[in-house]
Amino acid sequence: MKNIKITILSLIVVAFFGCDQDDNINTVFDNVNGQSLVAFAAASSDLAVVIDGTGTVDVQIEVSTVSDSDRTVTVSVDESSTAATENYALASNMVTIPAGSYSGLLTINGVDVSVEPQAETIVLNIEDTTASNPSFTSNQQHTVNIFQICPVPSDYLVGDYILTDNGNGNFGQNVPVTISVDPDEATNRTFVAEFLPGTGVARDVDVVLTLGCNFFNLNTIDINVTCTQVTGYVIGGAGASNSMYDLDNDDVGTVHTVNYLEDLEADCGPTVVQNFTLTKI
């Protein structure tokens, strides 16, 4: 973690909306008739595709106002994407935000035609929306990391371990954790740990590790804190720098190293590779 003060990220940036107020009345944000901001709910997500099989991920899009009728948001794939188009398909390039709702889901389906074990990217843009009053679309992009995963024994990386941060401050030192199989995804392992200990904004988070084909991928952790109040302090998978694992090694005393990217949005400083270790006990 950068040695920079981190503050709680405001969900509504009043200055963006440019609301007027006179000397006597404080302007209150109007979630019905106010201006509508449309944006991705997170900066990134992971699309794990089983070797010779398929996978799926839902990307959430949010709008700051509510409506009594359905609204649509048009999404495009940015040319900077590195994933081969034969390996994925958007269920639709139009996302519906149902009446009375603040969000909708874009489903992306993956298929292993030529998916690589190391992550490649599908970069998404918001192009247009039927939200009104008037509406603004965020220039924020959403990056989907698509990668191949292989079957993993159900007892691998399961049980009691000691979590030790490499000194960057994102996690603690010598912290006992209990790792279990994610009930929704057999190749995911999950445990609870304190994120950003000692910072004043620390909280317990669900840490999810995807076991790719012989490598660890840390799923995105975002607790809505920021240094700049523009983006946010987020950590997640390290892509080509993800660390490897060996299915033959998980006995007591085995040390697993998990690499990840710190500050994906470069909110508090440059994006760098960090790691923590999990020692079997």
Side-chain angles (χ1 to χ4, degrees):
M1 181 188 70
K2 312 295 191 302
N3 187 25
I4 298 174
K5 181 180 179 182
I6 297 180
T7 57
I8 296 175
L9 179 64
S10 173
L11 295 180
I12 300 172
V13 182
V14 176
F16 171 84
F17 292 102
C19 297
D20 296 328
Q21 69 178 52
D22 61 24
D23 294 336
N24 301 311
I25 301 175
N26 290 324
T27 302
V28 177
F29 176 72
D30 186 345
N31 72 327
V32 177
N33 300 308
Q35 297 167 317
S36 300
L37 172 64
V38 181
F40 292 108
S44 65
S45 59
D46 295 320
L47 174 51
V49 179
V50 177
I51 186 169
D52 298 326
T54 60
T56 186
V57 66
D58 288 328
V59 177
Q60 183 168 301
I61 295 176
E62 298 179 330
V63 62
S64 60
T65 58
V66 70
S67 172
D68 58 5
S69 60
D70 289 355
R71 292 167 289 177
T72 59
V73 178
T74 304
V75 175
S76 67
V77 177
D78 195 81
E79 61 182 12
S80 65
S81 302
T82 61
T85 56
E86 64 183 2
N87 292 319
Y88 68 91
L90 277 60
S92 172
N93 70 333
M94 296 187 66
V95 177
T96 298
I97 299 177
S101 177
Y102 289 96
S103 65
L105 296 177
L106 168 67
T107 299
I108 304 178
N109 298 306
V111 58
D112 184 19
V113 177
S114 59
V115 179
E116 297 292 338
Q118 294 296 336
E120 297 179 307
T121 61
I122 307 166
V123 182
L124 303 175
N125 301 312
I126 294 176
E127 295 292 343
D128 196 12
T129 177
T130 59
S132 57
N133 295 333
S135 65
F136 297 90
T137 56
S138 170
N139 60 5
Q140 168 205 16
Q141 294 179 315
H142 181 93
T143 300
V144 178
N145 300 299
I146 179 174
F147 50 88
Q148 185 186 74
I149 58 173
C150 298
V152 178
S154 61
D155 60 351
Y156 183 78
L157 199 67
V158 171
D160 295 326
Y161 293 76
I162 296 296
L163 166 68
T164 299
D165 184 80
N166 71 342
N168 59 71
N170 290 310
F171 298 98
Q173 300 286 319
N174 301 315
V175 180
V177 296
T178 299
I179 302 178
S180 59
V181 177
D182 187 333
D184 297 322
E185 178 51 65
T187 57
N188 283 355
R189 300 294 183 266
T190 181
F191 60 91
V192 175
E194 186 179 33
F195 185 53
L196 302 178
T199 61
V201 295
R203 72 178 67 171
D204 287 344
V205 297
D206 292 322
V207 180
V208 180
L209 295 176
T210 296
L211 304 184
C213 291
N214 301 317
F215 70 91
F216 296 114
N217 184 76
L218 176 67
N219 290 14
T220 300
I221 297 176
D222 180 1
I223 63 169
N224 290 325
V225 295
T226 180
C227 291
T228 64
Q229 296 188 5
V230 175
T231 53
Y233 184 79
V234 182
I235 68 173
S241 296
N242 279 332
S243 46
M244 310 300 287
Y245 66 85
D246 184 346
L247 289 177
D248 293 328
N249 293 324
D250 192 38
D251 297 328
V252 173
T254 298
V255 179
H256 302 283
T257 299
V258 179
N259 290 350
Y260 61 90
L261 289 182
E262 175 187 84
D263 206 355
L264 288 169
E265 296 292 304
D267 179 69
C268 300
T271 300
V272 295
V273 177
Q274 301 285 8
N275 69 70
F276 59 79
T277 59
L278 295 166
T279 303
K280 183 71 172 282
I281 58 176

